[in-house]
Amino acid sequence: MKAVVIGGVAGGMSFAARARRLAEDAEIVVLERDPYVSYANCGLPYHLGDEIPDRDALILHTPQSLARSLALDVRTGHEALAIDPVERTILVRDRATGRQYHEAYDALVLSTGAAPVIPPVPGVGLPSVRVLRTVPDVDALRALVDRAARHALVVGAGFIGLEATEALRRRGLAVTLVELAAQVLPSLDPEMARSIELELLGAGVEVRLATSLASLREAGDGTVAAELSDGSQVLADLVLLAAGVRPETSLAAAAGLALNARGALLVDQHLRTSVPSIYGVGDAIEVVDAVCGAPVSVPLAGPASRQGRAAADHLFGRGGQRSPVLGTAIVRVFGTVAATTGRSEKALRSAGVAHHAVHLHPNNHAGYFPGARPLHLKLLFAPDGRVLGAQATGGEGTDKRIDVIATAIRARMTVGDLADLELAYAPPFGSAKDPVNLAGFIASNLLAEDLSVWRGGELADMDPGAVLLDVRSAAEFSSGHLPGALNIPHTELRGRLGEIARDCPVLVYCASGFRSYLALRVMRQSGWTQVRSLSGGLSTLQLELPGLALELGEPAATLAAALR
């Protein structure tokens, strides 16, 4: 058996390594057009920012080390030009010498990855305009920074754009971040991304949302003048294009392999393409969303590595099937972490999937242990309780909560299962009721109709006869409240129920949603039937409606005036 892999890094090298462990007698050839075949591409932004100062730390293996440890024939600088699926040959060019030759195969694995999206605007080919996907890319960016660059323009506020923005600020550059969407991190729901925007602003980053790049031109001394869609201009010493990626499938298309409408390579459950002797893995392929079952593209290293392993298992008789993909991802932006798994609320709405959402703001560990910090957690779940997705922002411990929920989604657990999970607890690490448990409690209460919630989007169309009930303390109320709200601290509510009409809707709120839930339970059991609690309290509401002005002191203004 001779297996040839086109493309290294996560998917291709995972296949090659697994194939060798399964078949010592197989001939395994890896063709990689770039100089590096196995490197930590997720570590590139951290090398740019000098958190990983040693460039060689990013190089995981060389052709020589792979030959010694796994007897792999790895050829860097060798570019596949064409595939003949009938003859089972590949036309290859040695980029160093220009020599072309044909390489035969029994099985072929395409791990051609994804290419950066380059905006179709004038000037993208200027020397100071770069992308960040490979080791040579980070070398070029570091060279620009080392030549006393003072101002950077980053186009795209996704994961790579945010990591690069932080790295460049760490190197002392002023950074302007431009994003076409109306929020940073477009894969998150808007209220969850807002805290990341605030973190960027606090770190001195100029954030320009709902704005695109119109053109680039030389402005002298290596400076680039960037014209933006709003008519403004930014002068920068370097421009980083981080506007997303697209499947790199030109080789597959020329060979007649089936692609989807977005250009991703179609594969079956065993990672085989429309030609059974050719497998596809990694960022170039279409995958199945684990929540909705829809076809999607998920360019992440984790799924790519698992796909490479599965393809090798299938080729060598071990079954080997692709897994549905959750899209679990995480990013650190200065002092705040954002993480996500499963489907966002806007994705569920777009797909027409019935769902509920709850927000909560528990501490990341026991509040009495020093260093406790609130975690903003959003849980999405189906009417039958099945967990559909989650997003979280905060500090230490954000990752483990999302990882637990990612596991729950794959196991098709319900919110009741989350409530009952037994998770590690000691004061420095969590609480006896972990944030994941609390999310399960809140969601279970909602499904049992012990809790009804309202969201910030309802304020603009609020029933004029409704009562806004603020159940925080009088001091908290005076420091800022929703205009027109009635303040009855939750500890006084039982004795002051007579101040609230029984036959009108009551929208209760507090800082985070817990005290308003307690108030709701008191009122529901005392005869008030139209009571709802603000999901996530004011902590979430002010992220949902960043322009909302809170009133100070005693209530005077109307809510309508505040929303204007």
Side-chain angles (χ1 to χ4, degrees), residues 109-463:
V109 178
L110 297 180
S111 178
T112 49
V117 171
I118 306 298
V121 301
V124 291
L126 293 173
S128 297
V129 181
R130 313 299 307 185
V131 296
L132 182 56
R133 289 286 292 176
T134 66
V135 174
D137 289 338
V138 78
D139 289 344
L141 281 165
R142 282 180 63 94
L144 288 169
V145 173
D146 292 342
R147 287 204 294 268
R150 298 182 304 277
H151 193 167
L153 171 65
V154 177
V155 180
F159 290 93
I160 296 298
L162 293 181
E163 289 172 342
T165 293
E166 179 181 2
L168 292 166
R169 283 295 291 146
R170 285 181 177 273
R171 296 293 300 275
L173 278 71
V175 180
T176 299
L177 177 63
V178 172
E179 168 57 50
L180 178 61
Q183 64 175 83
V184 300
L185 279 179
S187 59
L188 268 63
D189 290 320
E191 77 277 15
M192 301 303 296
R194 174 64 177 163
S195 59
I196 298 299
E197 180 188 348
L198 294 174
E199 187 73 22
L200 290 162
L201 294 171
V205 177
E206 182 186 7
V207 180
R208 309 281 289 275
L209 301 176
T211 305
S212 61
L213 183 65
S215 68
L216 298 163
R217 60 177 175 80
E218 286 278 13
D221 297 327
T223 302
V224 175
E227 302 290 339
L228 304 181
S229 59
D230 61 5
S232 64
Q233 177 179 277
V234 175
L235 294 176
D237 301 301
L238 72 88
V239 177
L240 176 62
L241 302 178
V245 296
R246 56 171 179 78
E248 177 52 86
T249 52
S250 55
L251 194 63
L257 304 183
L259 309 178
N260 69 13
R262 297 179 298 277
L265 187 59
L266 295 175
V267 296
D268 67 10
Q269 69 270 28
H270 300 297
L271 285 307
R272 295 175 299 191
T273 69
S274 54
V275 175
S277 61
I278 302 177
Y279 293 80
V281 300
D283 296 355
I285 72 169
E286 178 185 271
V287 296
V288 175
D289 171 63
V291 173
C292 301
V296 291
S297 294
V298 180
L300 294 171
S305 294
R306 293 189 292 276
Q307 291 155 10
R309 178 185 175 93
D313 281 351
H314 182 262
L315 179 61
F316 291 100
R318 297 292 187 92
Q321 295 195 39
R322 68 178 183 183
S323 298
V325 177
L326 285 169
T328 307
I330 190 167
V331 63
R332 185 200 70 194
V333 183
F334 301 102
T336 298
V337 174
T340 181
T341 189
R343 299 291 259 181
S344 67
E345 186 167 21
K346 58 187 177 183
L348 292 170
R349 285 174 178 164
S350 178
V353 176
H355 65 278
H356 299 290
V358 294
H359 296 79
L360 60 158
H361 298 264
N363 285 331
N364 62 334
H365 59 64
Y368 58 82
F369 190 86
R373 177 177 172 182
L375 174 77
H376 187 187
L377 179 59
K378 179 177 185 178
L379 181 68
L380 296 147
F381 52 100
D384 65 1
R386 184 167 61 93
V387 183
L388 302 177
Q391 296 163 48
T393 60
E396 185 178 354
T398 302
D399 55 341
K400 75 174 182 177
R401 274 66 191 221
I402 288 296
D403 284 343
V404 168
I405 296 174
T407 304
I409 297 173
R410 280 298 305 273
R412 300 186 67 81
M413 287 183 175
T414 67
V415 295
D417 295 322
L418 294 186
D420 202 37
L421 286 177
E422 183 178 341
L423 303 173
Y425 160 57
F429 305 104
S431 300
K433 296 177 182 177
D434 190 85
V436 172
N437 299 134
L438 293 175
F441 294 153
I442 296 169
S444 296
N445 286 339
L446 190 147
L447 293 180
E449 299 185 351
D450 292 331
L451 168 68
S452 297
V453 297
W454 62 280
R455 302 278 294 276
E458 299 180 47
L459 280 175
D461 299 314
M462 192 179 75
D463 185 334

Side-chain angles (χ1 to χ4, degrees), residues 56 59 62 65 157 191 243 286 352 392 396 403 423 457 470 475 486 500:
D56 290 343
I59 311 302
T62 65
S65 69
E191 77 277 15
E286 178 185 271
E396 185 178 354
D403 284 343
L423 303 173
D470 186 323
L486 168 66
I500 308 167

